[in-house]
Amino acid sequence: MAEEAEGAEEPVKKKRGVGRPRRVDTETIVATARRILTEEGVAALSMRRVAKEVGTTPMALYHHVRDKDDLLMLTLSGTAATTPRPELPAEPRERLLAVSLHMHDTLARLPWVVEVLGLGDLTDKGALWMVEEIVGAGIDCGLTPADAVRAYRTIWHCVYGDLVFRQAMRRRAEDPDRKRYFPDMLTEADADELPHLAALAGRWDELTEDYDVAHQLGAVVDGLLGRAERAPTSPG
Amino acid sequence: MAEEAEGAEEPVKKKRGVGRPRRVDTETIVATARRILTEEGVAALSMRRVAKEVGTTPMALYHHVRDKDDLLMLTLSGTAATTPRPELPAEPRERLLAVSLHMHDTLARLPWVVEVLGLGDLTDKGALWMVEEIVGAGIDCGLTPADAVRAYRTIWHCVYGDLVFRQAMRRRAEDPDRKRYFPDMLTEADADELPHLAALAGRWDELTEDYDVAHQLGAVVDGLLGRAERAPTSPG
DNA sequence: ACCTGAACACCGTTCAAGT
DNA sequence: ACCTGAACACCGTTCAAGT
């Protein structure tokens, strides 16, 4: 029984390179795509590249996936399971914040996942526990189930937005001859129309780097919980 | 000489199909790209397509823009000016909310802009008044300038996230044979591990459609303003 | 059922050469 | 300075045919 479980669990990989190309199975295709994404990012993934690395023709892939977007979504499944599930505080507001931050910090290490998530689907079953915890904690804080879902969505937007623009910032930092726009585009003449921005221009980069998602999420959660925030969180 | 001036000022367009192609200028290139983006979206934009519509070779474009990303960023300039600037309430918290919503509603009508903004730069000078107003309103509500910038960034993440996933939802709705993942992936067996999600699965689509950015932003702003929210906003 | 070969209609960008 | 032609090294996807 131990062996059976072991064999069923083990991913196939390209163990036998000798014989003629074998029939490919969907999991090999998805796993290969996931490896390319992890190592080189979304821009490096092409159907032809996956086919080549799997040892088949591009068209063979279309027997297992509908199209490239479908393949991208399939690569998400199982990624949440690669990060251990943390211990969570019992107090619901703290639990809500802890899960939100766990979500953020996990994804910050998986830049390709952020790009694929923009396609908009929750496809990794192993990630649903985070949604469950956030919604559950919201309810425990006094929100209605519907409001807890709305709160989850808003928190997700904050997390996702931070990740997207953090990645954009990193890309820009890596390409040194990239043009800068804001705040460099501001001239002295703009100080009349845009006084605060003109005053802050010199500190903009510093403020961008200082941006602390954890702190901001704390404030956002306070707002989302509203009056429920001050409801008695009975200390035992 | 009159002809020379006429030719120089007037945007070229394809008025004269007869003669050999004229020298192209950057603004024509950018305007053509912007038209393609407006009419057909980011996926339809290619350097070759722009070159063809401008009446030149792909390589001529590289004399005016660094690369495709650069062209994309240049297309943003001037788009904010296409939406009239609204009257804003005087009360700072309401002004903050009104500008944030104006930002959202403007971009909801410009889906290609949302895609390009993911590149991460504020390139349209005509859009900066919104940042100025949000930061200014934050300061008027009692935030420090630094906290007002952080608040602006968090609000922007909420706005951007909503737009991205709203667009993804629309895309999915337009492709009827696209696979659905959540909540369809939930089985009865998941009700143990994911009780709230299982209970809410049937209402998920309804809750997604009901999501009201204005309402959520109101809560987020409350949280961001924190105690300053109740500070006296001296009426004179 | 699953896979292949060839083809269609494209990409972004470099390079050396022209005017 | 500005533009061109040809080339390089790719794309996603369709179709008809093979086993």
Side-chain angles (χ1 to χ4, degrees):
Chain A
M1 289 140 204
E3 293 118 30
E4 194 196 6
E6 198 181 24
E9 286 302 314
E10 203 171 50
V12 177
K13 290 193 178 172
K14 49 190 171 182
K15 190 192 282 184
R16 57 188 80 244
V18 223
R20 56 190 166 180
R22 303 188 90 78
R23 216 221 297 272
V24 291
D25 65 303
T26 309
E27 202 30 63
T28 313
I29 292 168
V30 174
T32 305
R34 198 151 35 212
R35 181 174 50 70
I36 294 169
L37 288 165
T38 317
E39 291 170 2
E40 301 176 51
V42 174
L45 191 97
S46 73
M47 299 300 275
R48 295 171 116 103
R49 169 89 184 271
V50 173
K52 185 178 285 178
E53 303 218 359
V54 159
T56 181
T57 59
M59 282 319 299
L61 307 183
Y62 286 85
H63 259 268
H64 299 89
V65 301
R66 147 187 291 276
D67 56 18
K68 194 186 174 182
D69 274 8
D70 188 33
L71 175 56
L72 281 171
M73 309 238 263
L74 290 171
T75 59
L76 292 182
S77 63
T79 45
T82 60
T83 310
R85 191 162 159 174
E87 295 234 356
L88 294 173
E91 198 278 312
R93 185 187 168 280
E94 279 176 38
R95 193 159 84 248
L96 209 167
L97 263 177
V99 182
S100 306
L101 274 174
H102 175 78
M103 211 161 167
H104 176 274
D105 295 348
T106 303
L107 290 171
R109 274 174 199 103
L110 300 167
W112 65 274
V113 175
V114 175
E115 288 183 70
V116 179
L117 282 170
L119 295 172
D121 257 297
L122 265 169
T123 63
D124 183 8
K125 236 180 149 171
L128 293 182
W129 69 265
M130 294 186 264
V131 186
E132 171 73 20
E133 287 286 0
I134 292 175
V135 171
I139 294 171
D140 290 351
C141 286
L143 296 182
T144 65
D147 277 339
V149 171
R150 296 188 246 270
Y152 154 70
R153 210 181 290 276
T154 301
I155 288 165
W156 168 236
H157 292 167
C158 291
V159 168
Y160 176 78
D162 177 81
L163 292 164
V164 166
F165 295 105
R166 210 174 276 272
Q167 262 170 237
M169 193 174 65
R170 209 191 318 178
R171 266 200 312 275
R172 250 172 316 172
E174 279 164 8
D175 179 358
D177 10 301
R178 177 116 259 139
K179 278 186 219 159
R180 296 233 11 204
Y181 292 89
F182 184 81
D184 295 11
M185 64 173 35
L186 291 179
T187 63
E188 283 174 31
D190 298 313
D192 289 340
E193 289 269 343
L194 309 165
H196 295 108
L197 296 188
L200 286 158
R203 295 170 65 195
W204 199 265
D205 287 355
E206 176 205 331
L207 289 170
T208 304
E209 273 158 46
D210 280 3
Y211 186 86
D212 178 4
V213 218
H215 179 81
Q216 298 300 114
L217 274 176
V220 168
V221 166
D222 284 348
L224 291 168
L225 296 181
R227 289 179 198 89
E229 178 194 9
R230 280 184 185 88
T233 43
S234 55
Chain B
M1 290 141 205
E3 293 119 31
E4 195 193 6
E6 197 184 24
E9 283 303 313
E10 205 171 49
V12 176
K13 290 194 177 171
K14 50 197 168 175
K15 186 196 283 186
R16 55 187 81 242
V18 222
R20 57 196 164 174
R22 302 188 92 78
R23 218 220 293 273
V24 292
D25 65 302
T26 309
E27 202 31 63
T28 312
I29 292 168
V30 174
T32 305
R34 198 151 36 213
R35 181 174 49 70
I36 295 170
L37 289 165
T38 317
E39 290 170 2
E40 302 177 51
V42 175
L45 191 98
S46 73
M47 298 300 275
R48 295 170 115 103
R49 169 90 185 269
V50 172
K52 186 178 286 178
E53 304 218 359
V54 159
T56 182
T57 59
M59 281 320 299
L61 307 183
Y62 287 83
H63 257 269
H64 300 87
V65 300
R66 147 186 291 276
D67 56 19
K68 195 186 174 181
D69 274 9
D70 188 32
L71 176 56
L72 281 171
M73 310 240 262
L74 290 171
T75 59
L76 292 182
S77 64
T79 46
T82 61
T83 310
R85 192 162 159 174
E87 296 234 356
L88 294 173
E91 198 277 312
R93 185 186 168 279
E94 279 175 39
R95 193 160 83 248
L96 209 167
L97 264 177
V99 182
S100 306
L101 275 173
H102 176 77
M103 211 161 167
H104 177 274
D105 296 348
T106 302
L107 290 170
R109 274 173 200 105
L110 298 167
W112 65 274
V113 175
V114 175
E115 288 183 70
V116 178
L117 283 170
L119 296 172
D121 256 296
L122 266 169
T123 63
D124 184 9
K125 236 180 148 173
L128 293 183
W129 68 265
M130 294 186 264
V131 186
E132 171 73 21
E133 287 286 0
I134 292 176
V135 171
I139 293 171
D140 289 351
C141 286
L143 296 181
T144 66
D147 277 340
V149 171
R150 295 189 247 271
Y152 154 71
R153 210 181 290 274
T154 301
I155 288 165
W156 167 237
H157 292 167
C158 290
V159 168
Y160 176 78
D162 178 80
L163 292 164
V164 166
F165 294 105
R166 211 173 274 273
Q167 261 169 239
M169 193 174 66
R170 210 191 319 176
R171 265 199 312 276
R172 251 173 316 172
E174 279 165 7
D175 179 358
D177 10 301
R178 178 114 260 141
K179 279 185 217 159
R180 295 235 8 206
Y181 293 88
F182 184 81
D184 294 11
M185 66 177 27
L186 291 179
T187 63
E188 284 173 32
D190 297 314
D192 290 340
E193 289 269 343
L194 307 166
H196 295 108
L197 295 189
L200 286 159
R203 296 170 64 194
W204 199 264
D205 286 355
E206 176 205 332
L207 288 170
T208 304
E209 273 159 46
D210 280 3
Y211 186 87
D212 178 4
V213 219
H215 180 81
Q216 297 300 113
L217 273 175
V220 168
V221 166
D222 284 348
L224 290 169
L225 297 180
R227 290 180 199 89
E229 178 193 9
R230 280 182 184 89
T233 42
S234 58

